[in-house]
Amino acid sequence: MTTPVKVAVTGAAGQISYSLLFRLAAGDVFGADVPVELRLIEIDPAMRALEGVVMELDDCAFPNLVNVVTTSDLKVGFDGVNWALLIGSVPRKQGMERRDLLGINGGIFKPQGEAIASAAANDVRVLVVGNPCNTNCLIARENGKDVPADRWFSMMRLDQNRAMTQLARKANRPVTSVTKMAIWGNHSATQFPDFYHAEIDGVEVPKVIDDHDWLNGEFITTVQKRGAAIIEARGASSAASAANAVIDTVRSIATPTPAGDWTSVGVVSRGEYGVPEGLQFGFPIRSTGSSWEVVTGLVHTQAAQSAIDTTRDELLGEQSEVTELLS
Ligand code: NAI
């Protein structure tokens, strides 16, 4: 029998996980013939709710799901895992300063980084989803240095998917015709959805969509503010689409990027495009399935470069607020 892929998920009783775990167990991520072991990590107060989720997993009788472990002990949770999906975090509440949020999340992601480095499998890859995901990833990565820096990722894919749909709708084309959709910077309202380099049926977007006011205005703000719009409409944050983006991200990292395309992920900067080395930054990347590289050589307009500088500065500001947590 094929060796199971061991996947740790934190925040396993939360909303995103409720949409994610069943697809992981069904084989949507690693393939229908690959057995999966889930290691579900939660804080103690959520353990009862997690028991309910596990009952439902049991009741699906997924042929691929060979084992489920639930725990609040990080060493147990991350033991031998090949993938760690760090979803659990504390959302910003009314009256909470961004600084408080970063401090609280630092308390979560520092020990998680340490535990992954000491307990996970040699080939572990880590995806941070819990917000602020780029800086949380930076904290975990810096505290888990035994795991090479290029195996830590933060999620920009929901923004990529949102942007692709907006462009496809405007051009009246299927979403599959949109390629090379890069999201630069932070997964926040400063992110830059780069329509200049995106293509529809292989043609640059500004040549296909002639409403440049829309591209420069409504398109960008719709993508940047989509999370808030969903909260406003649904009364709850985007969970199903976020779970779907987790699946897309893991697949895009673990399989070769199709020719003529790229994918957006937060990765460690090696100084590309003037982004300081070490910052966890949303870039377009290409993967071979086992390694990846940032797409280089893209030339930015002045407006695009200025947008990238803005989101870079926001991330640098976040980094400066957590310096004491970076080893
Ligand atoms: P949720 O509040 O429904 O669930 C979060 C879960 O995390 C809760 O069950 C909680 O008990 C658990 N948790 C808290 N601290 C933990 C810890 N130290 N260890 C393990 N589990 C812990 O939230 P939801 O909707 O599932 O979202 C999770 C995170 O994902 C939030 O931070 C949200 O802002 C973020 N998010 C990120 C997106 C992205 O594109 N990067 C998109 C959407 C959401």
Side-chain angles (χ1 to χ4, degrees):
M1 188 184 173
T2 320
T3 314
V5 181
K6 285 191 187 181
V7 185
V9 180
T10 72
Q15 291 306 308
I16 294 178
S17 294
Y18 194 66
S19 287
L20 173 68
L21 297 176
F22 298 86
R23 292 184 65 188
L24 277 170
D28 285 5
V29 184
F30 301 104
D33 50 354
V34 179
V36 173
E37 173 171 330
L38 291 177
R39 310 187 73 88
L40 307 181
I41 303 174
E42 260 295 352
I43 48 175
D44 288 329
M47 274 303 170
R48 180 77 185 128
L50 185 57
E51 276 175 35
V53 175
V54 174
M55 284 186 228
E56 286 205 73
L57 282 167
D58 287 346
D59 295 350
C60 292
F62 287 119
N64 282 13
L65 186 59
V66 291
N67 194 21
V68 181
V69 173
T70 61
T71 183
S72 57
D73 181 329
L74 296 179
K75 282 269 173 71
V76 173
F78 293 123
D79 184 34
V81 299
N82 310 103
W83 277 92
L85 308 177
L86 309 187
I87 297 171
S89 71
V90 174
R92 192 167 179 175
K93 299 191 183 95
Q94 218 171 2
M96 199 190 264
E97 296 292 328
R98 197 167 178 87
R99 191 188 177 82
D100 301 333
L101 183 72
L102 289 164
I104 291 168
N105 284 304
I108 296 175
F109 289 89
K110 184 177 194 296
Q112 289 185 355
E114 289 166 350
I116 288 168
S118 71
N122 287 336
D123 66 351
V124 69
R125 287 184 271 189
V126 186
L127 174 65
V128 179
V129 177
N131 280 320
C133 65
N134 290 292
T135 299
N136 286 340
C137 186
L138 170 75
I139 296 168
R141 195 190 82 210
E142 284 292 309
N143 287 282
K145 280 197 164 147
D146 288 348
V147 177
D150 63 0
R151 294 223 241 111
W152 301 82
F153 304 90
S154 46
M155 194 164 93
M156 309 297 292
R157 182 56 178 258
L158 182 52
D159 309 299
Q160 176 188 327
N161 287 348
R162 287 167 170 168
M164 288 169 67
T165 298
Q166 294 302 317
L167 292 177
R169 288 263 167 82
K170 184 75 176 174
N172 203 17
R173 298 290 303 139
V175 77
T176 45
S177 67
V178 182
T179 50
K180 297 188 173 173
M181 186 65 243
I183 307 289
W184 300 83
N186 203 359
H187 168 68
S188 75
T190 67
Q191 65 176 272
F192 175 54
D194 183 357
F195 62 84
Y196 294 99
H197 293 105
E199 295 179 355
I200 295 175
D201 297 319
V203 180
E204 286 159 27
V205 162
K207 290 182 184 154
V208 180
I209 296 174
D210 52 17
D211 185 350
H212 289 189
D213 286 346
W214 179 83
L215 283 173
N216 281 297
E218 196 181 326
F219 164 68
I220 292 182
T221 52
T222 299
V223 177
Q224 288 175 332
K225 295 182 181 165
R226 189 68 162 182
I230 287 167
I231 292 174
E232 207 265 316
R234 206 174 83 89
S237 68
S238 39
S241 53
N244 181 67
V246 172
I247 289 167
D248 284 348
T249 307
V250 172
R251 278 207 207 118
S252 319
I253 293 168
T255 54
T257 309
D261 203 359
W262 56 55
T263 188
S264 298
V265 191
V267 294
V268 60
S269 169
R270 300 295 187 205
E272 298 91 345
Y273 300 96
V275 177
E277 233 172 278
L279 209 60
Q280 192 76 23
F281 196 88
F283 280 118
I285 70 154
R286 290 184 50 77
S287 176
T288 63
S290 54
S291 64
W292 55 265
E293 56 184 22
V294 169
V295 175
T296 53
L298 300 178
V299 178
H300 293 297
T301 63
Q302 213 174 5
Q305 189 57 55
S306 154
I308 291 170
D309 292 349
T310 299
T311 192
R312 175 202 64 199
D313 290 348
E314 183 182 53
L315 276 170
L316 283 171
E318 289 185 12
Q319 184 185 38
S320 71
E321 286 180 4
V322 298
T323 33
E324 71 274 18
L325 293 163
L326 308 177
S327 57

